[in-house]
């Protein structure tokens, strides 16, 4: 089991193209931990804003009667991927991992695979 700081460091070091990572509580909108970002990219603001994305998707699924779990949500910008992975099990209810990737350097399939592995090792 990996602690939060170790898991966020692993996101940035083991996932090609990763520039920022956060663990976010989507019930409150608060980032429980962040790593990366820049003065022009406030990771706290991005994490809080993405709680609205997660809440909206969960609400829509409920209205549609979909009884499935969200694995991840992908937002594609012109130069970046923003990947949101909802945490399952072991106290992870209401949490998601948020990862920012450079499109030119990232392999999206590998990033999703690595993020899933990091989620499984995360101790919340």
């Amino acid at each position: 089991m990996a602690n939060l700081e170790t898991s966020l460091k692993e996101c940035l070091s083991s996932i090609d193209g990763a520039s920022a990572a956060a663990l976010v509580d989507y019930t409150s909108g608060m980032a429980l931990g962040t790593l990366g970002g820049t003065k022009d990219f406030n990771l706290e603001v991005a994490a809080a804003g993405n709680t609205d994305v997660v809440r909206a998707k969960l609400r829509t699924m409920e209205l549609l009667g979909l009884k499935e779990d969200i694995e991840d949500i992908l937002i594609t910008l012109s130069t970046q991927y923003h990947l949101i992975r909802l945490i399952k099990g072991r106290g992870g209810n209401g949490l998601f991992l948020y990862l920012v990737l450079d499109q030119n350097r990232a392999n999206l399939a590998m990033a999703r695979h690595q993020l899933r592995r990091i989620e499984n090792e995360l101790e919340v």
Side-chain angles (χ1 to χ4, degrees):
M1 294 291 165
N3 69 24
L4 176 56
E5 183 179 346
T6 302
S7 294
L8 293 177
K9 284 180 181 176
E10 188 170 348
C11 283
L12 294 188
S13 67
S14 70
I15 300 176
D16 288 340
S19 62
L23 180 68
V24 184
D25 179 343
Y26 65 80
T27 59
S28 69
M30 294 192 60
L32 305 178
T34 62
L35 191 62
T38 66
K39 66 178 179 74
D40 296 324
F41 185 82
N42 185 322
L43 191 52
E44 297 276 341
V45 171
N50 279 301
T51 63
D52 292 334
V53 173
V54 172
R55 290 177 191 158
K57 188 58 186 172
L58 289 170
R59 197 169 36 253
T60 302
M61 289 176 61
E62 184 179 338
L63 291 171
L64 292 172
L66 297 175
K67 305 291 185 209
E68 300 197 37
D69 293 326
I70 297 172
E71 287 186 21
D72 51 43
I73 298 169
L74 173 64
I75 300 167
T76 305
L77 304 178
S78 55
T79 62
Q80 298 176 340
Y81 296 125
H82 291 227
L83 190 57
I84 299 167
R85 174 133 189 116
L86 275 66
I87 305 292
K88 308 283 187 283
R90 289 192 319 276
N93 194 26
L95 302 177
F96 67 86
L97 281 166
Y98 172 59
L99 185 64
V100 179
L101 300 157
D102 178 326
Q103 273 192 16
N104 293 323
R105 295 179 32 231
N107 177 320
L108 189 54
M110 286 303 296
R112 290 183 69 223
H113 175 73
Q114 288 291 93
L115 202 54
R116 185 179 314 116
R117 184 185 56 72
I118 290 166
E119 172 202 357
N120 289 334
E121 294 172 1
L122 179 65
E123 185 175 297
V124 183

